[in-house]
Amino acid sequence: MATDYYGILGVRRDATPEEIKRAYRKLARELHPDVNPDPEAQQRFRDVTNAYEVLSDPEKRQIVDLGGDPLAPGGGAAGASSPFGFGGLGDIMDAFFGGGASRGPRSRVRRGNDALLRIELDLAETAFGTTRDITVDTAVVCSTCTGAGAAPGTHPSTCSTCHGRGEVQQVTRSFLGQMVTSRPCPRCSGTGTVIEHPCRDCGGDGRVRRRRTLTVKIPAGVEDGMRIRLSGEGEVGPGGGPPGDLYVEVSERPHPVFTREGDDLHCDLRLPMTAAALGTVATLETLDGTETITVKPGTQPGEVIRLAGRGVPHLRAVGRGHLHIHIVVETPTKLDGEQERLLRELARLRDEDAPAVVGSGPGGGTGLFSRRRGGRRGR
Ligand SMILES: [Zn+2]
Ligand SMILES: [Zn+2]
């Protein structure tokens, strides 16, 4: 509700400036703190003075006459006297100009921004965790003014443009007629106070840039793209406001042997045809050290040897993923004469030297062709 400034001064709405001045003088003589120490009178004196300040200023008086309140944050246009049927001018302004959810002076002190930093880690580091020292360029509280922004020994003063309200109102013309609009005070950026003597070191912002080194603990089992939050390690806010958070994003370097899927690891083991047929032993450098892999005779392409618990530790549970070794059998190429002769001999001994018969007769064909079962796991 808008304040009834006319009522406070006891004048009619069409009072002349001279009548307004006379009414104010009369009331001020009765209520002035020098002559009337009653606390109630002092409050009335302030009200009367405000009313006079408003009604003696043609621009502010116009705001009052349009249903606004030049002293109230946001104008608080009166519903009753509003020419619009709903809610008053404030709502209209909001509807047309996306007006302020936050009215009144805003604090100079605000929370600082969050910061994001990326670090590259090897698989062994993401798997088992590590600690890293990181250097961040960040905003910290200015030690000279302890965040206040004012030079030591001085204080911010009330803004003379908006009288500390943080916003100014003006009458504008639009297709709806004359309207009262309010906007953040340009002089104080809506804070209601002005730093007349800014701190030399921070220029009044209350914070300065500084390079800081932090130790980040990377837990075991983190994955590429995960972010670790370091609460309160971001930038300090303007006016020495509370700091934001620092996020450290993990980027995992590709491993030369292992592909990671969640907490499972996969790799290929390439075997010559003979080794797959006869069986062999291979050594593999896992995350846990050298492992001996026994390949059974008659191992088929696509077979998977699983090393349980040799994958990445789970981040939020006990236990670890598995390591899957996918068998790839390599058919020999470029056989020399002796090798080819031996292979032909082998084929003859195994009765495998007949050419494959394409097509299948009634009842199932040759048995060389069959439906494809699930292929090797995709990577
Ligand atoms: Zn400072
Ligand atoms: Zn201001």
Side-chain angles (χ1 to χ4, degrees):
M1 247 357 232
T3 313
D4 179 12
Y5 294 111
Y6 291 103
I8 290 171
L9 284 185
V11 296
R12 290 157 35 138
R13 293 185 73 86
D14 58 357
T16 63
E18 193 51 45
E19 284 169 338
I20 286 168
K21 194 186 278 183
R22 230 181 296 137
Y24 171 65
R25 283 213 183 118
K26 181 167 169 291
L27 287 169
R29 270 198 297 274
E30 286 169 28
L31 300 168
H32 196 280
D34 290 348
V35 297
N36 195 336
D38 181 15
E40 205 176 299
Q42 287 180 31
Q43 179 57 50
R44 273 201 68 205
F45 178 71
R46 278 194 289 275
D47 292 343
V48 162
T49 305
N50 278 342
Y52 176 67
E53 190 194 307
V54 168
L55 296 182
S56 61
D57 178 333
E59 211 172 287
K60 288 178 181 158
R61 186 173 175 183
Q62 196 178 11
I63 289 168
V64 172
D65 291 341
L66 283 167
D69 183 346
L71 295 191
S81 60
S82 165
F84 307 99
F86 52 96
L89 275 173
D91 290 352
I92 297 269
M93 299 317 302
D94 289 354
F96 279 111
F97 301 104
S102 62
R103 299 283 202 173
R106 66 170 97 109
S107 174
R108 194 181 291 285
V109 179
R110 265 169 289 145
R111 181 183 182 271
N113 288 329
D114 293 339
L116 175 66
L117 207 104
R118 285 191 183 81
I119 51 168
E120 279 211 328
L121 298 173
D122 289 327
L123 176 62
E125 293 173 309
T126 58
F128 299 125
T130 183
T131 51
R132 275 290 181 88
D133 284 343
I134 54 168
T135 303
V136 284
D137 237 330
T138 189
V140 298
V141 175
C142 172
S143 56
T144 309
C145 63
T146 60
T154 70
H155 295 282
S157 53
T158 303
C159 174
S160 59
T161 302
C162 64
H163 303 286
R165 287 184 299 276
E167 49 181 38
V168 288
Q169 295 197 330
Q170 59 188 166
V171 175
T172 56
R173 287 173 210 285
S174 77
F175 63 95
L176 284 172
Q178 288 186 324
M179 304 217 291
V180 184
T181 59
S182 56
R183 61 195 167 95
C185 171
R187 179 152 187 259
C188 62
S189 310
T191 60
T193 57
V194 172
I195 296 175
E196 310 257 19
H197 307 284
C199 166
R200 273 185 193 202
D201 291 334
C202 64
D205 191 36
R207 51 188 186 158
V208 289
R209 294 217 79 82
R210 214 182 64 195
R211 203 163 258 254
R212 275 201 309 150
T213 301
L214 290 166
T215 303
V216 188
K217 215 174 128 39
I218 312 290
V222 294
E223 241 179 285
D224 191 68
M226 275 185 180
R227 289 179 179 184
I228 297 155
R229 177 162 151 253
L230 301 180
S231 182
E233 299 288 2
E235 290 191 350
V236 156
D245 298 331
L246 172 65
Y247 290 88
V248 177
E249 188 175 294
V250 171
S251 164
E252 189 182 271
R253 286 191 200 99
H255 189 272
V257 175
F258 300 121
T259 307
R260 181 170 173 182
E261 279 176 19
D263 292 336
D264 283 351
L265 297 176
H266 297 268
C267 70
D268 282 345
L269 173 57
R270 313 188 82 84
L271 292 175
M273 185 183 74
T274 47
L278 301 171
T280 187
V281 169
T283 55
L284 173 67
E285 284 302 320
T286 69
L287 294 179
D288 302 271
T290 308
E291 198 87 34
T292 304
I293 313 296
T294 304
V295 178
K296 299 189 307 288
T299 291
Q300 301 297 314
E303 262 184 42
V304 178
I305 298 170
R306 196 183 77 147
L307 301 185
R310 287 285 182 263
V312 175
H314 301 310
L315 179 63
R316 292 185 183 87
V318 287
R320 293 173 60 173
H322 310 305
L323 171 53
H324 305 265
I325 303 164
H326 300 259
I327 303 298
V328 177
V329 176
E330 298 191 313
T331 305
T333 54
K334 291 179 189 152
L335 298 171
D336 65 21
E338 173 70 355
Q339 291 165 350
E340 185 179 342
R341 197 189 59 74
L342 283 169
L343 271 181
R344 286 198 187 284
E345 180 65 9
L346 175 66
R348 195 186 59 77
L349 287 172
R350 291 180 56 87
D351 203 16
E352 292 169 350
D353 56 348
V357 180
V358 180
S360 54
T366 65
L368 287 173
F369 297 96
S370 63
R371 281 178 67 86
R372 187 180 156 84
R373 285 170 297 196
R376 190 164 67 82
R377 184 186 177 119
R379 317 192 309 121

